[in-house]
Structure formats: C-alpha cells, structure tokens
Amino acid sequence: MKREIGLSIYPDHSDPLLDQDYLKKAAALGYSRLFMSMLEVSEGKETVRKKFSSIIGFAKNLGFETILDISPAVFSDLAISYDDLSFFAELGADGIRLDQGFDGSKEAQLTFNPFGLAIELNMSNDVNYLENILSYQANKPFLYGCHNFYPQRGTGLTDAFFRSCSQRFKKYGLKTAAFITSQSAKIGPWEVNDGLPTLESCRDLPLALQGKLLFASGLIDTVIIGNAYASDAELKALAAIDRYKLTFGVFVDADASEIERRILAETNHFRRGDSNALVARSTQSRVKYRPIENLPHTNQEPFAYGDIVIGNDTFGQYKNELQIVLTPHQDTRKNKVGAISSDELPLLEYLKPWTKFAFELLD
C-alpha cells in the first residue's frame, strides 16, 4: 500500500486563513491526508456545516483526503443518525473516524454507506474489535484504521502495545494511520497539549525522525502530524524523508577517504540475509570497489554502537565492505568513517536481514 503523510487542523480553535495557508504549504510539499476533529463542536448544525464545508472544500481542491473524527455525542448534538451519513458527505468529507465503537454489526453496515465514505476505526486497542466487525462481512476497501493521539505526557502507547494493536489491522491489509507531534505547534483539541503523538517514545523526538520510525515499523501507511501548526522546517523535513527505504542520518568522519565517502553515498545498500550480532554487513561495495586502494585510518579506538566502518587494505577480500556496528568492538582492519546520529539509533531496530537502507550525510 502506498504511504502518505498528513496533518491536522482544528477549526473550532484556529484561524481559517491560517488553516488555508498551512494547507497550501503542505500540499505543495506532497501532504495528502487531513485529519479534522469534530469532537468539540458546540455551535449548532448550520454553523458547523458552514465552517467545516468551507475548509474541507478548500482542502479537497488541494488534493487532500479528509477524515473527520466523530463520537456518539456529535451525532446527538447535531441530530444526525448513524443510519444516514449524508451530513458528512455534504460537508465534502472522504470518511469518518469512529472515536468510539459499536457492536461490530453497525460498523460493518456503515462501510456500505451510499456516499462511499471510508469508516475509520480506532486502532489503539488490542482486542478482537476488528475481527468482530469483519465477521459481519464489512466492505474492507472502505474500512480504515487510525490510532489515537495522547495529549497528556506519559500516556502515549508503549512500542510493544503499538505493534500488537497495529498488527491486528495490517494482517487484514487495511489502510493504517498514526500520529506524530510537532515540537513547535500549540493547537490541539483540548486544553492539555503536551504534544499529540500516538507513541510515547516519539513525544520529544524531531518530527521527521518520528515519521521515519513509524514508516520503518512497516505497520503504518499514513503518518499524520497531530497538532497544528508545524513549522515550515518541520513540514519540509517530514516531506523529504524516504517513506519506503530505511535512511540513517550519519555524521561523516573528517578522515574518511574519497572512496569511503562514495561508498556511503551509494543507494543500493542492504543488510546481508545471514545476519549476525556484531555488525550489519553491506557487501556489494567490496565487489564494486575491490581494486580501489583504501589505506588504514581511525581504527585505534573501539567502535561504538551505530558507528559506520569500512574494511581497509589489510582486510583481504573484505576490503571496502561497509558495516554498521551493532556490538562495540575493535578491529584495525576496519576504518571508522562515520556514526549514525544519536537521535536515529532507534532506527537500527528495524535493520533486519535483507533490509534496504541508505545514508543521509549530515553536516
């Protein structure tokens, strides 16, 4: 399934002109998913209709798919029936997210609504909720999953729980989404706003790195910025990541040779399938650059976790083989040529046998 990036706006808490400017900037960078919360609506049906249809129409013209977050209270407050989703279709929405679920039969029936609205389920639970819905023969192409976000520090999902919940959805081939949080944005749905990530481990990380981690998990198709407004620099950084290939930010050692820099810049690295605990090996460079000299340097100190090393002229047939250090060790037959940024070391968890990867050379 193709991967996408998205963002969130909160019409009940934001300026419409700023929302439009934010959407235009994001669309130009390749953002294509819009999350909007209706959980706070309190102004009556016609006011809500005018406010949301305006911004949804603006977003649709920019190519956004818009999902509205709703709850039973929204239906009650706006006098809408679950048996008639025409109100959301008239707003121009592409789908609705059910913040709270029903009995399974109701959700399945909703996926056959005549307006073609996607029905997005709350992914942040590890029970047989989805299986129950599917047992009622839901219309799977119109069934999505999206995790919650967690405004209160310390309450985001653990990595293990996130994986378990997400795997329930991915094994059925459903479109999945989760939230990351801007470090500069201030707007969310509630007064408490310590950031709006799905994963607690992401709360204080740079935005682009959060996106890398979610995509690298292989469990999330759509990464959404939960709070508004992310800075221009954050928007650009997230848009620039490779959504499909694991990419490590690397600080290059000043003594790295020209051939070592060329090897780092290669885009066809992959970890050998016969993996080991010492290093992750990328071996094609030793074949491609076998004849090229590589003198020993920067090899007298132990290599640390996340260091990038390349075999030098004393390493026989392993000369010019690139390795990522997984267990600290020392070996004078290898040259240290760089180190993965400390912030990005968690990405090494996803460097599995045969994983394709690349490096982004940092200043």
Side-chain angles (χ1 to χ4, degrees), residues 218-238:
L219 297 169
I220 299 300
D221 304 306
T222 306
V223 169
I224 305 169
I225 304 171
N227 47 2
Y229 303 105
S231 69
D232 289 355
E234 287 178 316
L235 290 176
K236 291 175 182 176
L238 180 60

mmCIF file of all heavy atoms in Angstrom, residues 218-238:
data_model
loop_
_atom_site.group_PDB
_atom_site.id
_atom_site.type_symbol
_atom_site.label_atom_id
_atom_site.label_comp_id
_atom_site.label_asym_id
_atom_site.label_seq_id
_atom_site.Cartn_x
_atom_site.Cartn_y
_atom_site.Cartn_z
ATOM 1 N N GLY A 218 6.836 -0.701 9.401
ATOM 2 C CA GLY A 218 6.104 -1.481 8.406
ATOM 3 C C GLY A 218 4.641 -1.674 8.745
ATOM 4 O O GLY A 218 3.936 -2.411 8.066
ATOM 5 N N LEU A 219 4.162 -0.973 9.776
ATOM 6 C CA LEU A 219 2.799 -1.159 10.257
ATOM 7 C C LEU A 219 1.881 0.020 9.943
ATOM 8 O O LEU A 219 0.667 -0.091 10.114
ATOM 9 C CB LEU A 219 2.810 -1.390 11.773
ATOM 10 C CG LEU A 219 3.549 -2.645 12.240
ATOM 11 C CD1 LEU A 219 3.721 -2.634 13.755
ATOM 12 C CD2 LEU A 219 2.808 -3.903 11.790
ATOM 13 N N ILE A 220 2.457 1.132 9.508
ATOM 14 C CA ILE A 220 1.685 2.362 9.331
ATOM 15 C C ILE A 220 1.833 2.861 7.894
ATOM 16 O O ILE A 220 2.943 3.032 7.391
ATOM 17 C CB ILE A 220 2.144 3.446 10.329
ATOM 18 C CG1 ILE A 220 1.925 2.969 11.763
ATOM 19 C CG2 ILE A 220 1.419 4.755 10.067
ATOM 20 C CD1 ILE A 220 0.480 2.656 12.120
ATOM 21 N N ASP A 221 0.695 3.115 7.257
ATOM 22 C CA ASP A 221 0.678 3.625 5.878
ATOM 23 C C ASP A 221 0.604 5.141 5.833
ATOM 24 O O ASP A 221 1.105 5.755 4.885
ATOM 25 C CB ASP A 221 -0.524 3.050 5.127
ATOM 26 C CG ASP A 221 -0.549 1.538 5.148
ATOM 27 O OD1 ASP A 221 0.464 0.930 4.763
ATOM 28 O OD2 ASP A 221 -1.574 0.963 5.562
ATOM 29 N N THR A 222 -0.044 5.738 6.822
ATOM 30 C CA THR A 222 -0.260 7.181 6.827
ATOM 31 C C THR A 222 0.238 7.768 8.140
ATOM 32 O O THR A 222 -0.227 7.381 9.212
ATOM 33 C CB THR A 222 -1.758 7.518 6.661
ATOM 34 O OG1 THR A 222 -2.256 6.876 5.493
ATOM 35 C CG2 THR A 222 -1.957 9.015 6.544
ATOM 36 N N VAL A 223 1.167 8.691 8.039
ATOM 37 C CA VAL A 223 1.716 9.383 9.211
ATOM 38 C C VAL A 223 1.142 10.793 9.234
ATOM 39 O O VAL A 223 1.284 11.546 8.264
ATOM 40 C CB VAL A 223 3.251 9.422 9.164
ATOM 41 C CG1 VAL A 223 3.805 10.367 10.220
ATOM 42 C CG2 VAL A 223 3.820 8.022 9.351
ATOM 43 N N ILE A 224 0.482 11.142 10.346
ATOM 44 C CA ILE A 224 -0.242 12.408 10.453
ATOM 45 C C ILE A 224 0.337 13.255 11.583
ATOM 46 O O ILE A 224 0.501 12.756 12.705
ATOM 47 C CB ILE A 224 -1.741 12.165 10.726
ATOM 48 C CG1 ILE A 224 -2.344 11.249 9.656
ATOM 49 C CG2 ILE A 224 -2.504 13.494 10.780
ATOM 50 C CD1 ILE A 224 -3.747 10.756 10.000
ATOM 51 N N ILE A 225 0.619 14.510 11.296
ATOM 52 C CA ILE A 225 1.040 15.439 12.351
ATOM 53 C C ILE A 225 -0.197 15.768 13.182
ATOM 54 O O ILE A 225 -1.173 16.295 12.668
ATOM 55 C CB ILE A 225 1.643 16.722 11.764
ATOM 56 C CG1 ILE A 225 2.817 16.394 10.835
ATOM 57 C CG2 ILE A 225 2.106 17.654 12.882
ATOM 58 C CD1 ILE A 225 3.332 17.597 10.056
ATOM 59 N N GLY A 226 -0.159 15.469 14.464
ATOM 60 C CA GLY A 226 -1.346 15.588 15.294
ATOM 61 C C GLY A 226 -1.713 17.000 15.695
ATOM 62 O O GLY A 226 -2.893 17.319 15.840
ATOM 63 N N ASN A 227 -0.719 17.838 15.911
ATOM 64 C CA ASN A 227 -1.001 19.197 16.380
ATOM 65 C C ASN A 227 -0.723 20.214 15.273
ATOM 66 O O ASN A 227 -0.101 19.911 14.258
ATOM 67 C CB ASN A 227 -0.210 19.528 17.650
ATOM 68 C CG ASN A 227 1.271 19.136 17.554
ATOM 69 O OD1 ASN A 227 1.737 18.642 16.533
ATOM 70 N ND2 ASN A 227 2.008 19.356 18.618
ATOM 71 N N ALA A 228 -1.215 21.424 15.467
ATOM 72 C CA ALA A 228 -1.044 22.488 14.477
ATOM 73 C C ALA A 228 -0.496 23.738 15.186
ATOM 74 O O ALA A 228 -0.788 23.953 16.364
ATOM 75 C CB ALA A 228 -2.389 22.802 13.815
ATOM 76 N N TYR A 229 0.267 24.517 14.507
ATOM 77 C CA TYR A 229 0.768 24.332 13.147
ATOM 78 C C TYR A 229 2.245 23.942 13.241
ATOM 79 O O TYR A 229 3.024 24.634 13.924
ATOM 80 C CB TYR A 229 0.652 25.629 12.350
ATOM 81 C CG TYR A 229 -0.760 26.196 12.279
ATOM 82 C CD1 TYR A 229 -1.105 27.304 13.050
ATOM 83 C CD2 TYR A 229 -1.724 25.624 11.457
ATOM 84 C CE1 TYR A 229 -2.391 27.820 12.982
ATOM 85 C CE2 TYR A 229 -3.010 26.144 11.380
ATOM 86 C CZ TYR A 229 -3.344 27.246 12.153
ATOM 87 O OH TYR A 229 -4.609 27.761 12.094
ATOM 88 N N ALA A 230 2.634 22.879 12.545
ATOM 89 C CA ALA A 230 4.048 22.529 12.472
ATOM 90 C C ALA A 230 4.806 23.633 11.762
ATOM 91 O O ALA A 230 4.263 24.331 10.906
ATOM 92 C CB ALA A 230 4.220 21.210 11.723
ATOM 93 N N SER A 231 6.067 23.807 12.121
ATOM 94 C CA SER A 231 6.881 24.852 11.500
ATOM 95 C C SER A 231 7.172 24.499 10.047
ATOM 96 O O SER A 231 7.077 23.336 9.630
ATOM 97 C CB SER A 231 8.198 25.023 12.253
ATOM 98 O OG SER A 231 9.031 23.884 12.070
ATOM 99 N N ASP A 232 7.559 25.510 9.272
ATOM 100 C CA ASP A 232 7.922 25.271 7.869
ATOM 101 C C ASP A 232 9.065 24.269 7.779
ATOM 102 O O ASP A 232 9.072 23.388 6.905
ATOM 103 C CB ASP A 232 8.337 26.586 7.198
ATOM 104 C CG ASP A 232 7.162 27.528 6.979
ATOM 105 O OD1 ASP A 232 6.010 27.116 7.258
ATOM 106 O OD2 ASP A 232 7.391 28.666 6.533
ATOM 107 N N ALA A 233 10.044 24.406 8.687
ATOM 108 C CA ALA A 233 11.196 23.493 8.665
ATOM 109 C C ALA A 233 10.760 22.069 8.950
ATOM 110 O O ALA A 233 11.241 21.115 8.313
ATOM 111 C CB ALA A 233 12.239 23.937 9.692
ATOM 112 N N GLU A 234 9.837 21.888 9.886
ATOM 113 C CA GLU A 234 9.343 20.546 10.193
ATOM 114 C C GLU A 234 8.565 19.962 9.020
ATOM 115 O O GLU A 234 8.728 18.785 8.676
ATOM 116 C CB GLU A 234 8.452 20.589 11.437
ATOM 117 C CG GLU A 234 9.208 20.786 12.739
ATOM 118 C CD GLU A 234 8.277 20.865 13.930
ATOM 119 O OE1 GLU A 234 7.235 21.563 13.818
ATOM 120 O OE2 GLU A 234 8.582 20.253 14.971
ATOM 121 N N LEU A 235 7.699 20.769 8.415
ATOM 122 C CA LEU A 235 6.938 20.295 7.258
ATOM 123 C C LEU A 235 7.862 19.816 6.152
ATOM 124 O O LEU A 235 7.651 18.753 5.550
ATOM 125 C CB LEU A 235 6.027 21.402 6.737
ATOM 126 C CG LEU A 235 4.826 21.802 7.588
ATOM 127 C CD1 LEU A 235 4.104 22.990 6.954
ATOM 128 C CD2 LEU A 235 3.849 20.630 7.759
ATOM 129 N N LYS A 236 8.894 20.587 5.869
ATOM 130 C CA LYS A 236 9.831 20.233 4.803
ATOM 131 C C LYS A 236 10.626 18.983 5.159
ATOM 132 O O LYS A 236 10.856 18.113 4.304
ATOM 133 C CB LYS A 236 10.773 21.400 4.527
ATOM 134 C CG LYS A 236 10.088 22.603 3.890
ATOM 135 C CD LYS A 236 11.047 23.781 3.743
ATOM 136 C CE LYS A 236 10.337 24.995 3.151
ATOM 137 N NZ LYS A 236 11.229 26.178 3.084
ATOM 138 N N ALA A 237 11.046 18.875 6.426
ATOM 139 C CA ALA A 237 11.859 17.728 6.840
ATOM 140 C C ALA A 237 11.066 16.425 6.745
ATOM 141 O O ALA A 237 11.579 15.405 6.274
ATOM 142 C CB ALA A 237 12.373 17.936 8.263
ATOM 143 N N LEU A 238 9.816 16.444 7.176
ATOM 144 C CA LEU A 238 8.989 15.235 7.087
ATOM 145 C C LEU A 238 8.720 14.881 5.632
ATOM 146 O O LEU A 238 8.761 13.707 5.243
ATOM 147 C CB LEU A 238 7.680 15.422 7.842
ATOM 148 C CG LEU A 238 6.716 14.226 7.815
ATOM 149 C CD1 LEU A 238 7.362 12.993 8.434
ATOM 150 C CD2 LEU A 238 5.403 14.567 8.529
#
